[in-house]
Amino acid sequence: MTIPNSEGFFPSDSCLPRAPAEEKDIIMELIRSSEASIKEGDLYYLVSHRWWMEWQEYVDLDQSDENSNEGIFCIPRRPGEIDNSNLLLNESVVEGNELDLKRSLQEGEDYSLVPQDAWKKLLEWYRGGPELPRKVISEGFITKKFNVEVYPLCLQLVDGRDKSQRTLKISRMASVRELYNMVCMLFELEKEKVSIWDYYNKTKHQFLNNFDQTLEEAQLLMDQEVLLEVQDDKLWPSNVSMSSAGNELALVPLEPSRSSVTIAGGPMLSNSYSTGFRSNFLEGGNFSSSQRDTEDRDDVLNNGIKVDGQGLTGLHNLGNTCFMNSALQCLVHTPPLVDYFLQDYSEEINKENPLGMQGELAIVFGELLRKLWSSGRTSVAPRAFKAKLARFAPQFSGYNQHDSQELLAFLLDGLHEDLNRVRSKPYIEAKDADGRPDDEFAEECWQNHKARNDSIIVDVCQGQYKSTLVCPVCSKVSVTFDPFMYLSLPLPSTATRTITVTVFSGDGSSLPMPFTVTVPKNGCCKDLIQALSTASCLKHTEALVLAEVYGNRIYRYLENSFESLSNIKDEEHIVAYRLPIHHEKLLRLEILHRRAEGFLSEPRYSAHLKLLGTPLVTTLSVDSRTGADIHAAVLSVLAPLLRANSLTWSHGDKSSRDSGSGPSLDSIVLSDNGIQCSEETLSTSDMELEEVHNSIPDIQLALADGKVISRSTVDVDYTVPVSRLKVVMNWSDREHEIYDFSFLEDLPEVFKSGFMSKKTRQEAITLYSCLEAFIKEEPLGPDDMWYCPRCKEHRQATKKLDLWRLPDILVVHLKRFSYSRFMKNKLDTFVNFPVHNLDLSKYVGHRESASSSLVYELYAISNHYGGLGGGHYSAFAKLLEEDSWFHFDDSHVSPVNENEIKKSAAYVLFYQRVGVESKMDVRETGISPDSSNF
């Protein structure tokens, strides 16, 4: 019977609820199909992220989430109607037939984006809404990138005839011609009589006369004013200066008015969505000569603090551009770069480099630096710089909050390519060390790098590190020396953690003993083994094998010494077995335990037996597989558990077994790979085989009191290599009287809240500890396998980095942000970094000369405050000539004490090598910072 829906209509077959798995397959296929053929103009739809996550949970799309609760079974509830109302500022429709979105929305937190076909299917199944379509735009000049323009450009059109205002919404990638067409259509005007001005801050700046230019290239910003003038007698205003000398006029607009919806440095204004597609590289790439970026007429804000000193100029926030301002202030206060860009560097501009931006990035950065180092300014609006940035790096276009370190990486690399003194890069074949000394090979690699890369950025910002890869199979060692522009140092959230592990003897020499050790939280199993070896006084002839015990059996061995300790959860039970140092070459014998009420002949009785206690592990020689050998090994590891009043016995003594003084245990032997061993390997001549069926699926053989009874004629080839045997032992009341089984029960958890009465004090995280983590040996990720030239296969090699050559300017990036498909995280851990005398001598393997210093002084910091989307960036920078620190918070500049610059917000640190002198004092150069030779 078909039931009508809430609206009284009978749903069609397509509207009927489908199985979650079927929904998932349909939607994911639609998404894959759309992303595979994405093009400019395609539609994506916003959907409430809260609803989208409910749907993902319902269809079990998030099953790979590392934070999922394994073992907890629940039936997810089917989500209700799609509700996008939380995304809307109001539900009124404005020009362009679009609902107005809240300005603080963040992708992945407030909304998600789905292609049109997937949205239509979801709407068909769930109904609801409202629909919020957005178009795909293509951005970038050298490389193209598809983005979804969530927030179109919002302009305030001022009618010069009556000063009335009207809000226009148009794509920032629309052309000036399209803007004219929109205005003429709205006011029913003739295009020949219309002129539109960039009216930022209610001041005429640029006459918009280049019809083929995009609005973003015209440097129009969100919420700014544009002025409409209607001419009666002539086409263009007489006071417009047209282009000269082949260069079009490109004026630098200013900061938009601070309306209630402009969030300066606040929550991210999501304006684009990267679909994750591979960018298309445009061949050829000819474009017009670089635009002349001239000075704004009015670049001083009333809310700024008037500062006469050079280098104390703020930067306007153009709408979530605090990340850019923070990075720029650090760079423009880098002494060698100040010296360089205040001089005439026109001869070094490389316009032919296909990897560069034909010098345009270097020019606009140099002109911005000159403005910031000129006297008498309070703040500058970097609109020309942002326009160039959006043109060549579309990932920074729009009004999103971005990562200052990512911008720094792009900017340093872009400036290098624009200023590369090498006009024609020679081909240099990569060579191996071939056993040569590190000094010789490293110098060859550096000279090869310099033969292709030679710029002011390489001179002062690039160093070299040594990378060592070791194949885990054939032990092939590969050494390379690579350049670096900055160091990205890992940042542990907590320095250490405590882990409790129970250590078992593999030869019966001692009782099980729990040890609580302290290890690095971001460490690996190798660190845990080293700590346990020290705590348990491990002999040099022994080795520890870690294992996780679950359900009274060994769930897994932790045999990868580089496995992260983060994979060990606090509620787990971890044990360690003391085995011979070369245990890999021996036969590993696992001894499991279960409770036996009596010995019944019916095989079905064993199905009711349950495992108990903790497995024991010992080793046998590869040729010791008889029942007597196994029985002797079992007696050996059980020896420490003998009660004081029990009878004495000798290891492997047949008389003791026959007299009953040894354990009368029903033992079941099986191999780790399911290969049954033949009866000759497990029994003496008078033993017979019996097949046993119970809850353990791979049990195949049974031994009872050293005697095997057979019902089966199965005979499997025992020449197949077997590395592990398991013995399941039945414990009766009699064995419990002989042995103290309590030592094998109640394993302590890895960590239990309240277990330690006194809270362990957290170690301080220093910059040196971050460096230690950076150079620590670790395995490559599964997605970053190394091709071993000896094995001829990809291997998960171990990698170790060492600093070899340091630059004069050392940029240190603290990795505070971590991202995965389903989770974002920021670490606010305080890092104690030195302001003076950062000594790196112990971390560097090469010194260029005996006089070269490896000590550094801090001169700038890029700070990040708050969370991932709603954070804010600022900068601390030091004027070396005045030996004083200042806080650069967008357009506001204020002095700060040196003892106040150490904060948990520190994100990127800038150090200068001690002994590197500035080549000139900017106040004595004789060059006006505003002058330009380009």
Side-chain angles (χ1 to χ4, degrees):
M1 174 179 172
T2 305
I3 302 174
N5 58 25
S6 59
E7 298 176 353
F9 297 100
F10 287 89
S12 64
D13 291 341
S14 62
C15 294
L16 292 174
R18 297 174 179 266
E22 186 180 359
E23 285 192 16
K24 178 175 70 172
D25 292 342
I26 293 174
I27 295 299
M28 295 312 295
E29 179 58 34
L30 290 174
I31 291 176
R32 281 191 293 267
S33 176
S34 297
E35 291 186 348
S37 58
I38 191 170
K39 61 184 181 298
E40 192 170 4
D42 286 352
L43 288 180
Y44 272 68
Y45 283 73
L46 279 78
V47 59
S48 168
H49 186 68
R50 181 172 52 199
W51 186 93
W52 179 243
M53 294 304 293
E54 288 180 5
W55 180 83
Q56 288 193 14
E57 183 180 356
Y58 170 64
V59 301
D60 198 24
L61 187 63
D62 197 7
Q63 56 187 325
S64 63
D65 190 351
E66 60 185 14
N67 293 325
S68 61
N69 296 321
E70 296 183 4
I72 300 178
F73 178 75
C74 60
I75 301 176
R77 182 178 61 86
R78 191 174 193 269
E81 288 189 348
I82 302 172
D83 183 8
N84 287 335
S85 60
N86 63 314
L87 306 180
L88 301 177
L89 186 63
N90 53 62
E91 297 192 10
S92 60
V93 178
V94 297
E95 285 88 354
N97 197 31
E98 290 182 356
L99 294 172
D100 205 2
L101 294 176
K102 293 178 182 177
R103 287 295 186 88
S104 59
L105 300 181
Q106 305 173 43
E107 185 193 347
E109 294 188 20
D110 299 301
Y111 70 87
S112 295
L113 287 160
V114 295
Q116 183 177 22
D117 291 341
W119 166 260
K120 294 298 183 185
K121 187 61 66 175
L122 290 171
L123 194 64
E124 178 183 300
W125 293 337
Y126 293 93
R127 301 183 181 276
E131 296 191 56
L132 301 172
R134 292 296 186 269
K135 286 186 178 181
V136 173
I137 60 175
S138 177
E139 298 179 292
F141 186 81
I142 296 179
T143 59
K144 289 294 182 181
K145 180 180 180 182
F146 290 114
N147 285 330
V148 176
E149 190 174 32
V150 174
Y151 288 96
L153 187 61
C154 185
L155 299 175
Q156 303 301 322
L157 179 68
V158 179
D159 192 336
R161 296 168 295 181
D162 56 8
K163 300 302 180 182
S164 62
Q165 290 195 23
R166 187 163 186 170
T167 300
L168 302 179
K169 282 193 174 183
I170 185 172
S171 171
R172 67 177 186 274
M173 301 307 295
S175 64
V176 172
R177 178 180 290 103
E178 291 176 87
L179 176 62
Y180 271 83
N181 292 339
M182 175 183 285
V183 171
C184 291
M185 184 178 298
L186 287 175
F187 292 93
E188 299 180 351
L189 298 171
E190 297 180 18
K191 187 175 179 181
E192 292 76 12
K193 296 185 177 182
V194 169
S195 55
I196 301 177
W197 287 81
D198 176 354
Y199 199 51
Y200 175 73
N201 214 18
K202 289 187 167 45
T203 302
K204 282 187 179 181
H205 294 286
Q206 180 182 4
F207 175 45
L208 303 177
N209 65 332
N210 184 351
F211 290 157
D212 294 327
Q213 192 177 40
T214 68
L215 300 183
E216 186 163 66
E217 291 172 341
Q219 303 167 19
L220 298 184
L221 300 176
M222 182 72 80
D223 298 322
Q224 79 156 80
E225 297 92 350
V226 290
L227 177 64
L228 167 66
E229 289 185 342
V230 181
Q231 307 294 328
D232 292 328
D233 52 341
K234 57 176 103 175
L235 179 62
W236 304 113
S238 59
N239 58 343
V240 175
S241 175
M242 302 301 290
S243 60
S244 60
N247 289 330
E248 297 172 354
L249 186 64
L251 298 176
V252 185
L254 291 179
E255 182 180 16
S257 59
R258 305 214 176 221
S259 65
S260 60
V261 296
T262 300
I263 306 174
M268 176 177 66
L269 293 184
S270 302
N271 194 51
S272 63
Y273 162 69
S274 174
T275 59
F277 305 111
R278 197 172 298 173
S279 299
N280 299 319
F281 188 84
L282 292 182
E283 298 179 2
N286 294 324
F287 54 89
S288 61
S289 58
S290 62
Q291 293 179 337
R292 174 84 175 109
D293 299 310
T294 59
E295 181 62 74
D296 294 305
R297 298 183 191 177
D298 177 19
D299 62 354
V300 178
L301 282 181
N302 294 330
N303 62 350
I305 301 174
K306 184 66 177 176
V307 183
D308 292 328
Q310 292 178 326
L312 297 179
T313 304
L315 288 166
H316 295 192
N317 191 311
L318 306 179
N320 277 336
T321 57
C322 57
F323 78 97
M324 181 182 77
N325 295 346
S326 174
L328 285 173
Q329 290 291 4
C330 292
L331 284 182
V332 301
H333 286 87
T334 298
L337 297 184
V338 175
D339 295 340
Y340 180 86
F341 283 100
L342 288 184
Q343 299 181 80
D344 182 358
Y345 59 96
S346 58
E347 292 185 1
E348 293 201 341
I349 293 178
N350 189 337
K351 296 185 178 181
E352 293 77 33
N353 187 354
L355 299 179
M357 281 134 272
Q358 296 198 352
E360 292 190 45
L361 185 65
I363 292 173
V364 74
F365 175 80
E367 292 186 347
L368 178 61
L369 183 144
R370 290 172 179 243
K371 295 173 189 176
L372 294 176
W373 278 90
S374 62
S375 300
R377 297 183 188 275
T378 298
S379 58
V380 170
R383 290 210 297 171
F385 179 84
K386 187 180 185 304
K388 282 291 192 293
L389 187 67
R391 184 183 187 191
F392 296 113
Q395 64 268 33
F396 300 116
S397 62
Y399 306 97
N400 292 357
Q401 181 71 280
H402 293 284
D403 190 317
S404 67
Q405 186 272 333
E406 291 179 1
L407 174 64
L408 280 167
F410 168 80
L411 193 51
L412 288 172
D413 186 65
L415 290 175
H416 156 65
E417 296 295 354
D418 270 6
L419 298 170
N420 198 344
R421 304 177 185 110
V422 179
R423 293 313 195 249
S424 178
K425 295 187 177 184
Y427 171 77
I428 300 176
E429 184 179 356
K431 297 181 180 179
D432 199 357
D434 291 330
R436 287 179 289 170
D438 283 348
D439 286 347
E440 177 184 339
F441 184 50
E443 183 61 26
E444 178 184 296
C445 293
W446 182 251
Q447 293 306 322
N448 289 343
H449 173 68
K450 290 275 289 184
R452 295 172 54 87
N453 302 276
D454 184 19
S455 68
I456 179 63
I457 304 299
V458 175
D459 293 344
V460 301
C461 295
Q462 283 198 356
Q464 188 182 35
Y465 62 78
K466 174 184 176 182
S467 175
T468 305
L469 292 170
V470 181
C471 178
V473 178
C474 69
S475 300
K476 163 71 176 176
V477 178
S478 174
V479 176
T480 57
F481 290 88
D482 302 303
F484 68 86
M485 194 90 73
Y486 52 87
L487 296 179
S488 287
L489 304 186
L491 182 63
S493 58
T494 304
T496 61
R497 67 180 288 199
T498 57
I499 292 180
T500 299
V501 177
T502 304
V503 178
F504 289 80
S505 170
D507 59 3
S509 59
S510 61
L511 286 168
M513 180 68 67
F515 292 93
T516 300
V517 294
T518 301
V519 292
K521 187 170 183 180
N522 64 331
C524 56
C525 289
K526 183 178 180 181
D527 300 311
L528 178 57
I529 291 174
Q530 289 176 346
L532 285 173
S533 300
T534 302
S536 62
C537 300
L538 195 71
K539 299 176 183 177
H540 70 279
T541 57
E542 294 178 316
L544 288 179
V545 175
L546 294 175
E548 178 187 348
V549 174
Y550 179 78
N552 303 106
R553 69 179 66 206
I554 295 177
Y555 178 70
R556 67 180 180 120
Y557 286 100
L558 284 69
E559 296 183 294
N560 182 1
S561 60
F562 291 100
E563 181 176 349
S564 174
L565 292 180
S566 62
N567 294 334
I568 299 178
K569 309 305 179 186
D570 287 347
E571 64 277 7
E572 292 175 351
H573 301 276
I574 303 297
V575 298
Y577 298 103
R578 301 173 70 142
L579 301 178
I581 193 168
H582 298 300
H583 59 86
E584 302 91 350
K585 301 177 181 179
L586 302 175
L587 192 64
R588 186 178 298 174
L589 179 64
E590 296 179 10
I591 305 166
L592 287 75
H593 317 278
R594 63 183 181 185
R595 179 70 177 177
E597 299 298 335
F599 296 99
L600 298 183
S601 58
E602 294 85 354
R604 65 177 179 272
Y605 173 76
S606 59
H608 301 287
L609 300 180
K610 292 184 179 180
L611 293 176
L612 70 158
T614 306
L616 299 173
V617 174
T618 186
T619 56
L620 297 170
S621 61
V622 291
D623 55 352
S624 298
R625 300 185 182 183
T626 66
D629 294 327
I630 294 173
H631 198 279
V634 171
L635 290 175
S636 178
V637 294
L638 288 176
L641 306 182
L642 275 172
R643 297 183 187 275
N645 57 355
S646 64
L647 299 176
T648 58
W649 52 274
S650 59
H651 291 184
D653 182 63
K654 188 176 185 300
S655 62
S656 64
R657 297 196 306 268
D658 294 340
S659 65
S661 59
S664 178
L665 305 177
D666 180 17
S667 305
I668 302 171
V669 181
L670 54 142
S671 65
D672 59 339
N673 50 10
I675 300 173
Q676 178 183 345
C677 301
S678 72
E679 54 186 277
E680 290 84 1
T681 64
L682 292 171
S683 62
T684 57
S685 59
D686 61 340
M687 292 183 178
E688 297 178 301
L689 288 174
E690 178 183 13
E691 186 177 7
V692 177
H693 302 279
N694 56 32
S695 60
I696 305 176
D698 51 357
I699 290 178
Q700 295 158 358
L701 304 176
L703 288 80
D705 291 332
K707 184 178 180 180
V708 178
I709 303 173
S710 175
R711 290 182 186 171
S712 172
T713 58
V714 177
D715 186 13
V716 181
D717 183 8
Y718 66 91
T719 59
V720 179
V722 176
S723 61
R724 190 170 63 201
L725 296 176
K726 295 181 182 179
V727 179
V728 181
M729 305 166 56
N730 289 333
W731 286 75
S732 66
D733 291 338
R734 185 173 64 87
E735 280 80 38
H736 277 290
E737 293 175 359
I738 299 174
Y739 296 93
D740 189 351
F741 195 78
S742 63
F743 288 100
L744 303 181
E745 297 177 312
D746 300 326
L747 280 179
E749 296 178 355
V750 167
F751 179 80
K752 192 169 185 179
S753 300
F755 176 73
M756 303 179 68
S757 58
K758 189 174 182 180
K759 198 170 184 180
T760 304
R761 182 181 178 186
Q762 178 178 324
E763 294 181 11
I765 297 178
T766 67
L767 190 61
Y768 292 110
S769 64
C770 296
L771 278 166
E772 294 284 353
F774 175 75
I775 64 176
K776 182 180 179 180
E777 185 181 23
E778 60 182 1
L780 296 174
D783 298 328
D784 191 24
M785 305 286 274
W786 173 63
Y787 183 79
C788 176
R790 183 180 295 169
C791 297
K792 307 299 182 183
E793 290 186 22
H794 285 88
R795 302 292 191 191
Q796 190 175 10
T798 59
K799 182 176 183 179
K800 188 178 188 309
L801 296 177
D802 293 287
L803 299 180
W804 188 260
R805 183 193 306 263
L806 292 181
D808 291 340
I809 298 299
L810 180 64
V811 181
V812 178
H813 164 226
L814 301 177
K815 297 170 72 173
R816 293 193 178 275
F817 299 102
S818 62
Y819 303 92
S820 65
R821 181 177 178 184
F822 299 106
M823 184 179 65
K824 306 175 191 177
N825 186 37
K826 182 199 173 184
L827 301 175
D828 287 313
T829 310
F830 174 74
V831 177
N832 188 7
F833 53 88
V835 177
H836 305 286
N837 301 320
L838 172 64
D839 189 355
L840 300 179
S841 55
K842 66 174 289 189
Y843 301 99
V844 180
H846 170 72
R847 181 170 295 189
E848 296 181 53
S849 63
S851 60
S852 63
S853 171
L854 296 178
V855 179
Y856 287 80
E857 294 281 310
L858 186 72
Y859 70 88
I861 307 171
S862 175
N863 299 302
H864 181 271
Y865 301 88
L868 292 166
H872 177 66
Y873 286 92
S874 70
F876 293 127
K878 183 178 183 179
L879 294 187
L880 299 183
E881 295 82 0
E882 301 178 12
D883 193 26
S884 54
W885 285 87
F886 291 86
H887 184 209
F888 294 83
D889 188 1
D890 290 332
S891 57
H892 300 273
V893 181
S894 58
V896 63
N897 293 327
E898 184 177 290
N899 57 8
E900 297 176 347
I901 65 174
K902 283 191 178 185
K903 297 181 179 296
S904 60
Y907 183 43
V908 185
L909 308 174
F910 291 75
Y911 284 92
Q912 182 177 23
R913 192 198 301 265
V914 172
V916 177
E917 299 291 341
S918 180
K919 295 180 181 178
M920 61 181 178
D921 191 319
V922 296
R923 290 168 293 189
E924 299 174 357
T925 59
I927 301 175
S928 170
D930 285 320
S931 65
S932 175
N933 301 300
F934 315 112

